Amino acid sequence: MSMICCGTKASRKSSYRLHHTPPWLLSFLFALQHLLVQASLLCTCHSLLLQSRPLAPPDQSRLLASSLFACGIATSLQSALGTRLPLVQAPTFELLVPTIILSKYSAVNRTSSGIDSQASVYCTGMSCERLQSDFQPIREVSGALVISGALQILSGISGIWGWILQFSGPMVIAPALSIIGLSCYKPAALLCSSNWGISLSLIAVTGLLSQTLRSLYFPLYTWEMKRGIRRRYVPVLRMLSIILPISCIWIVCSFWVYEKTEFPSEIRLAQNISAFVTDEKLGSFPGHRENSTELTPWFHIPTLGAWGWPQLSLQTLGVGTAMALTTSLSSLCCYILCARMLCCYPLPSHACNRGISMEGVGNVLSGVLGSVCGAGSNIPSASTAGITQVGSRHSAQLCAIMFILLGLSPKLSQVLMSIPSAVHGGTLCLTFSMAVGGGVSFFQYADIDSGRNIFIVGFTMFMALLVPRWLDAVPAMLDTGWPVLDMVFLSLLTTPSFLGGLFSFVLDNTVEGSLQERGLHTSISLWHATSTEDVHRGMKKELAQAYELPTALARHFPAVYPCNQLCALPSDSVVIAVGEDDKLLMTRDPATV
């Protein structure tokens, strides 16, 4: 039996690289693993969003199905034409914060104008047909998503984010990733509080399988047409370290007394929030139980404008701009983290630009379909690759197909609602803690004893957590006299990941410091070769397999602006000049590995 010693770089070697295709059974399990992890984000974001605007159970299922359908298409675009990293697209907290702000602002306006009523909060039955057909908040959020997606497409094509990537060294990446990981503690604790025993059990079992038993290999038999039956040893427990505990705990909880402490399944997305509709309030609404299941269809194709066409206004323009900034910055950090976790060659500028552009296409599609949570690269997806060390994009593409199939059936999408909230909390704790650890790992490349770096790290992390906390407590203090501007500032300043990235980027590029202090004297990668010639040949092969578009598609891109921002030029893919790695943080000198 093949073993890997703990504590060596071999323990972080991916079992399946980006261009590898695992056996179909393993690919199915890997895709299902991605689906269960993304369910935590999907259900959490939907529950938090529905806090300000609860919907009837059939509408909740349709809304979740629309999100799954849009996320599936966005994942296909990202894994095939975007960065080509195994990043599954799903709603993110960076998209959720501006969405909630817009929904609350809309609710206040509608209440003050006398349009809203108590019956419009949750209403079923024939007498409420007019109120249920009024999906004005969904139309407004959809409009913001369309604007956000359009701005992402333009910024990606123009090469802005690739330019930002060139000036993002370890002292920018480390605080930004750490802040993204730490910013999730509040929703994670809220979900875990429903049952800490379940959450801690999930965390303990996942840690046992992925870390303690990571060196335990099992034989895997595959059949190939040319070679016949082949046997290889793979760390099955590590590769399936997330799906095994989640599925087992989910099955046990479905038969256990735990379900009695939950809210009814009809409002499963509206749990753990005190402002949501409770059992007592539901009793005052007609027909809240009798036909909720029958009204949910087994098959429904999401159509354009099903919830009403996106509404464009100054409010949606402001919130959409804030969405584009926050989610693009978060996605950039996700790209870096995913490449880091899989020990891949660091992300080149053209792949970053394509990734942001494809996310923009996904958000435009989400807005048109009425998926109010959007879709973007997220930390749980990147962290899943780090925990399991499975980096095959084939599994991500198969997961996209699963998303699309579930999105075609609102009835089946309800299955995700039955996952205990404590499982979601444990999943978020595991995945976002990997972002914190991944960010801290970048400090090794900079001079952390430097007073300059100590100030940048301390100020960035402290202020990125302080400002959102203060604005959450006293949001009325932010009053410019123009509501649209208030919404933009509130959306940006209450997002810790945006503040962390902004402060670290500005300070690291304005405060004087040597290349050694900033961590730019050497590059960041665990990849190494034996000679200079092998280094350049290995770089070219690694880049081509990881990030470059298929040759049949790339040759149609002319070498002129803006097409040259989305595809590597022929000269760039053949020759890698010595010294350019200091700018893009390419590969470390083999002698220093």
Side-chain angles (χ1 to χ4, degrees):
M1 179 177 294
S2 176
M3 301 293 290
I4 296 181
C5 297
C6 298
T8 65
K9 292 179 181 178
S11 63
R12 285 188 56 198
K13 182 179 179 181
S14 299
S15 302
Y16 291 99
R17 306 286 291 177
L18 287 173
H19 58 284
H20 290 168
T21 301
W24 279 102
L25 178 59
L26 282 181
S27 294
F28 174 79
L29 293 177
F30 296 155
L32 188 59
Q33 187 166 241
H34 277 294
L35 176 62
L36 293 179
V37 171
Q38 298 308 308
S40 299
L41 274 180
L42 279 165
C43 294
T44 301
C45 289
H46 273 259
S47 63
L48 293 175
L49 180 62
L50 291 174
Q51 176 182 3
S52 59
R53 197 70 181 178
L55 296 174
D59 292 333
Q60 290 188 25
S61 300
R62 286 180 54 207
L63 196 64
L64 182 60
S66 298
S67 295
L68 287 168
F69 187 83
C71 290
I73 297 179
T75 301
S76 301
L77 293 174
Q78 187 66 254
S79 59
L81 303 177
T83 59
R84 308 197 74 199
L85 289 169
L87 289 171
V88 179
Q89 308 294 285
T92 64
F93 293 118
E94 287 74 23
L95 286 170
L96 180 66
V97 172
T99 299
I100 292 179
I101 292 175
L102 178 61
S103 298
K104 289 183 178 180
Y105 178 83
S106 175
V108 170
N109 284 349
R110 292 169 62 82
T111 301
S112 61
S113 61
I115 298 177
D116 239 347
S117 62
Q118 183 186 17
S120 65
V121 174
Y122 181 95
C123 190
T124 58
M126 299 301 295
S127 61
C128 302
E129 182 177 356
R130 182 185 64 83
L131 291 175
Q132 287 202 39
S133 63
D134 183 14
F135 296 116
Q136 182 70 12
I138 296 180
R139 294 178 58 210
E140 292 178 346
V141 175
S142 298
L145 282 174
V146 170
I147 294 175
S148 172
L151 292 177
Q152 284 183 287
I153 294 174
L154 292 177
S155 62
I157 294 177
S158 63
I160 293 176
W161 293 104
W163 177 82
I164 292 176
L165 179 64
Q166 296 184 22
F167 293 92
S168 298
M171 291 306 300
V172 177
I173 299 171
L177 280 175
S178 300
I179 287 298
I180 292 178
L182 294 173
S183 63
C184 185
Y185 76 92
K186 189 174 181 179
L190 180 67
L191 293 170
C192 290
S193 62
S194 62
N195 193 309
W196 278 102
I198 291 178
S199 299
L200 294 179
S201 299
L202 174 64
I203 295 172
V205 175
T206 302
L208 176 68
L209 298 179
S210 64
Q211 304 302 319
T212 306
L213 302 178
R214 66 184 179 186
S215 301
L216 186 59
Y217 279 51
F218 293 91
L220 176 66
Y221 294 89
T222 58
W223 182 84
E224 297 180 5
M225 183 175 296
K226 295 182 179 180
R227 300 183 179 182
I229 298 178
R230 297 187 60 191
R231 183 182 66 178
R232 58 174 300 192
Y233 289 93
V234 294
V236 176
L237 296 180
R238 184 184 69 180
M239 294 190 300
L240 303 177
S241 57
I242 295 181
I243 185 176
L244 291 178
I246 289 181
S247 57
C248 291
I249 291 177
W250 187 10
I251 293 174
V252 171
C253 290
S254 63
F255 296 101
W256 192 30
V257 70
Y258 175 71
E259 62 179 5
K260 295 182 179 180
T261 64
E262 293 276 292
F263 283 102
S265 59
E266 297 94 285
I267 53 172
R268 182 66 183 83
L269 290 177
Q271 61 183 359
N272 292 328
I273 303 295
S274 58
F276 280 130
V277 182
T278 59
D279 291 332
E280 291 78 8
K281 294 180 182 179
L282 283 175
S284 62
F285 295 121
H288 74 279
R289 286 185 182 273
E290 35 279 18
N291 295 322
S292 60
T293 303
E294 297 177 2
L295 294 176
T296 304
W298 277 101
F299 181 78
H300 177 265
I301 299 178
T303 57
L304 302 181
W307 301 86
W309 291 104
Q311 178 177 343
L312 303 180
S313 62
L314 287 178
Q315 288 81 5
T316 57
L317 176 62
V319 173
T321 303
M323 281 182 176
L325 290 174
T326 55
T327 189
S328 297
L329 182 58
S330 175
S331 297
L332 180 61
C333 293
C334 290
Y335 302 157
I336 297 173
L337 177 64
C338 185
R340 176 72 172 171
M341 291 294 177
L342 296 175
C343 304
C344 294
Y345 197 77
L347 187 75
S349 298
H350 61 84
C352 174
N353 293 328
R354 290 200 315 269
I356 298 296
S357 299
M358 289 300 103
E359 287 193 20
V361 175
N363 279 327
V364 170
L365 179 63
S366 298
V368 175
L369 291 176
S371 174
V372 293
C373 289
S377 299
N378 53 84
I379 292 297
S381 181
S383 299
T384 300
I387 294 174
T388 62
Q389 285 301 303
V390 176
S392 172
R393 68 170 65 95
H394 181 263
S395 301
Q397 293 167 349
L398 188 58
C399 180
I401 297 176
M402 290 184 178
F403 270 52
I404 294 174
L405 293 178
L406 282 177
L408 295 175
S409 177
K411 181 79 73 173
L412 290 180
S413 66
Q414 285 184 332
V415 176
L416 298 180
M417 304 179 193
S418 64
I419 301 178
S421 58
V423 172
H424 297 324
T427 303
L428 294 182
C429 289
L430 283 168
T431 53
F432 278 86
S433 63
M434 293 291 290
V436 179
V440 172
S441 68
F442 279 94
F443 285 125
Q444 64 179 305
Y445 301 102
D447 184 7
I448 196 60
D449 290 331
S450 169
R452 167 193 183 274
N453 293 344
I454 291 176
F455 170 77
I456 291 176
V457 174
F459 179 83
T460 297
M461 299 186 69
F462 185 80
M463 295 302 296
L465 294 176
L466 180 144
V467 174
R469 179 70 174 177
W470 174 68
L471 287 176
D472 286 340
V474 284
M477 294 295 293
L478 186 61
D479 186 6
T480 63
W482 191 21
V484 176
L485 195 59
D486 292 343
M487 295 171 65
V488 174
F489 285 151
L490 196 61
S491 299
L492 295 176
L493 297 181
T494 54
T495 307
S497 58
F498 173 78
L499 295 176
L502 178 64
F503 290 151
S504 60
F505 182 83
V506 172
L507 291 176
D508 186 53
N509 288 281
T510 56
V511 178
E512 184 179 359
S514 64
L515 292 178
Q516 185 172 2
E517 282 183 306
R518 299 178 62 188
L520 301 179
H521 63 294
T522 185
S523 56
I524 301 174
S525 180
L526 296 179
W527 183 92
H528 61 89
T530 57
S531 66
T532 304
E533 182 180 358
D534 290 337
V535 168
H536 290 177
R537 187 184 300 112
M539 287 179 178
K540 175 185 174 182
K541 182 179 180 181
E542 182 79 7
L543 278 172
Q545 292 178 341
Y547 304 113
E548 291 186 8
L549 291 173
T551 306
L553 181 62
R555 64 185 179 186
H556 294 291
F557 281 76
V560 295
Y561 185 86
C563 294
N564 57 2
Q565 302 297 319
L566 302 176
C567 186
L569 298 177
S571 58
D572 294 338
S573 60
V574 174
V575 179
I576 299 179
V578 178
E580 288 297 316
D581 55 347
D582 290 340
K583 296 181 180 179
L584 298 181
L585 303 177
M586 292 296 185
T587 59
R588 176 180 289 186
D589 186 359
T592 63
V593 176

